Amino acid sequence: MSTRTILITGANGEIGHGLIDYLATHTRARVVALDLHPLDESLYRMCYRTVIGDITEMSVLESLSTGFDFDTIFHLAALLSTRSERQPPLAHRVNVNGTLNLLEIAVLQARLQGREIKFIFPSSIAVYGLPDLATKAQVGKIKEHEWCQPRTMYGINKLYTEQLGGYYARYYRQLDADERPEHVDFRSIRFPGIISAHTLPTGGTSDFAPEMLHNAAQGKAYPCFVREDTCIPFMVMPDAVRAITLLEAAPRDKLSRQVYNVGAFNPSAEVIRASTLKAFPRAEISFVPDLKRQNILDSWPLDVDDSAAQQDWNWHPEYDLERAFSEYLIPAITERYHQ
Ligand code: AKB
């Protein structure tokens, strides 16, 4: 195994936790972790270097670029959908300008090193926008090019930055006289809601599922902010980390596109409640819909068609709903709160 140097932005976030743990356990990669906040204690020893800094400040990124030769950038830092809706200008600054900065750093790195730099970018089902519940039910699984009319600031930011990544990979400074050697190999995954047993998301709209489960495990009543029939795709964190590392490792000539759907299971909120109650029978879970957040969820698809990911890089989730609860979520969450 060669020793690669990997930059992870938003390292302290949910995917950051899962990814750093995976890289430390399964590879010899040197992880340079960047986050606005100090990294959790548990992650420190797994990283080669940790940096506290803001991706909207180019000087922070430039000084990182001076210090390291990166093979891959996992750009995970973002404001999620609910938080973005409350602070749209901040969301734009972080989700769009921050990503632009990172893409510029990738170009700079490619130029300095004279080789291609991989840029791995988590996008989201929030890029989709179904007009109403009847259409949502009727269209079922949707492909990457369908229904890309997001209703949220976050969805718009993600859809635009996917395209920005495509531009940096294919057309960057296309009018320049000389062929430019620098190249960014941009690859993106549209993640569904992600449920981790070890961390809780903040500021997302799919948060109702992990919140339900984590509250139940702690014996706390949970008024769930959606209707019981709310249905969007989800996956558990080990599959999310598998997906992002599989995509990163895939040979480029096997990739037919730059942006891929990935799915695993798509239970209604009621089914998530029932699965939670099976493990924690005394949990108090009620449904008290917040109509505005509900509207956002109703505009997200029921399910995604991930056949391109299956074909191109052999994507298959390891966890369906049943296995996710019985073999990952319940044992790990129980251990987390009851040890
Ligand atoms: C959110 O709810 O904002 C995220 C997402 C679906 O991208 N979890």
Side-chain angles (χ1 to χ4, degrees):
M1 264 191 289
S2 65
T3 307
R4 297 177 306 142
T5 305
I6 291 178
L7 172 62
I8 302 182
T9 72
N12 218 12
E14 281 216 289
I15 301 180
H17 274 80
L19 181 62
I20 290 172
D21 188 39
Y22 174 89
L23 291 171
T25 316
H26 294 94
T27 74
R28 290 172 42 202
R30 289 191 296 210
V31 171
V32 178
L34 173 64
D35 202 281
L36 254 189
H37 305 289
L39 218 57
D40 283 355
E41 197 82 8
S42 60
L43 297 179
Y44 258 111
R45 64 184 167 77
M46 302 182 191
C47 297
Y48 181 67
R49 193 67 52 85
T50 62
V51 179
I52 300 175
D54 187 339
I55 57 163
T56 66
E57 284 172 28
M58 202 56 188
S59 56
V60 170
L61 302 179
E62 277 164 357
S63 91
L64 269 177
S65 182
T66 311
F68 301 95
D69 283 348
F70 295 116
D71 295 84
T72 299
I73 297 172
F74 285 92
H75 174 38
L76 312 181
L79 250 64
L80 296 183
S81 53
T82 292
R83 177 127 190 253
S84 295
E85 222 43 51
R86 300 201 164 119
Q87 293 170 288
L90 177 64
H92 195 277
R93 219 163 41 245
V94 174
N95 296 347
V96 177
N97 299 0
T99 302
L100 183 75
N101 289 349
L102 261 310
L103 285 164
E104 279 293 323
I105 291 301
V107 169
L108 181 65
Q109 283 274 309
R111 188 176 305 153
L112 290 171
Q113 297 185 50
R115 67 190 175 114
E116 204 163 76
I117 304 299
K118 282 187 189 162
F119 193 101
I120 312 297
F121 182 65
S123 185
S124 163
I125 51 163
V127 301
Y128 298 114
L130 281 316
D132 50 56
L133 281 174
T135 314
K136 171 167 169 159
Q138 191 205 324
V139 301
K141 282 189 178 197
I142 62 184
K143 286 191 185 291
E144 285 88 349
H145 65 278
E146 295 174 320
W147 301 100
C148 289
Q149 283 111 22
R151 283 200 194 169
T152 59
M153 185 64 181
Y154 172 72
I156 291 165
N157 294 166
K158 286 289 186 188
L159 189 59
Y160 171 64
T161 41
E162 283 177 0
Q163 294 184 5
L164 206 54
Y167 165 77
Y168 269 75
R170 293 213 295 263
Y171 306 117
Y172 183 69
R173 298 188 66 141
Q174 58 195 296
L175 297 183
D176 284 4
D178 10 313
E179 273 295 301
R180 305 180 77 88
E182 65 266 20
H183 193 85
V184 177
D185 180 0
F186 178 84
R187 306 174 180 199
S188 178
I189 289 184
R190 286 185 185 158
F191 278 115
I194 298 175
I195 314 177
S196 169
H198 304 288
T199 50
L200 264 166
T202 44
T205 314
S206 61
D207 296 4
F208 67 90
E211 284 175 0
M212 194 184 281
L213 201 49
H214 282 257
N215 277 292
Q218 294 171 83
K220 293 184 188 163
Y222 181 61
C224 180
F225 61 83
V226 304
R227 285 190 320 266
E228 27 303 45
D229 67 332
T230 305
C231 198
I232 59 163
F234 280 100
M235 73 174 38
V236 285
M237 187 57 81
D239 269 338
V241 170
R242 258 187 70 245
I244 206 164
T245 50
L246 272 177
L247 177 62
E248 196 244 356
R252 193 142 77 92
D253 61 359
K254 295 274 186 265
L255 303 183
S256 59
R257 46 188 312 119
Q258 278 169 327
V259 178
Y260 288 90
N261 281 340
V262 288
F265 48 85
N266 64 330
S268 67
E270 176 50 39
V271 167
I272 299 173
R273 185 174 89 123
S275 307
T276 304
L277 284 173
K278 222 164 112 187
F280 305 107
R282 288 195 302 209
E284 287 174 52
I285 303 165
S286 54
F287 290 100
V288 188
D290 168 336
L291 297 182
K292 293 183 173 159
R293 288 179 98 185
Q294 181 72 56
N295 281 339
I296 292 177
L297 289 156
D298 288 345
S299 77
W300 291 353
L302 204 62
D303 206 354
V304 289
D305 179 333
D306 59 6
S307 50
Q310 291 177 32
Q311 258 162 38
D312 291 1
W313 39 278
N314 202 21
W315 162 248
H316 295 283
E318 283 185 346
Y319 294 87
D320 59 13
L321 179 73
E322 160 57 31
R323 187 164 178 229
F325 271 80
S326 62
E327 292 185 28
Y328 167 63
L329 292 169
I330 301 304
I333 288 181
T334 305
E335 190 188 331
R336 176 180 170 166
Y337 294 113
H338 299 276
Q339 54 183 311

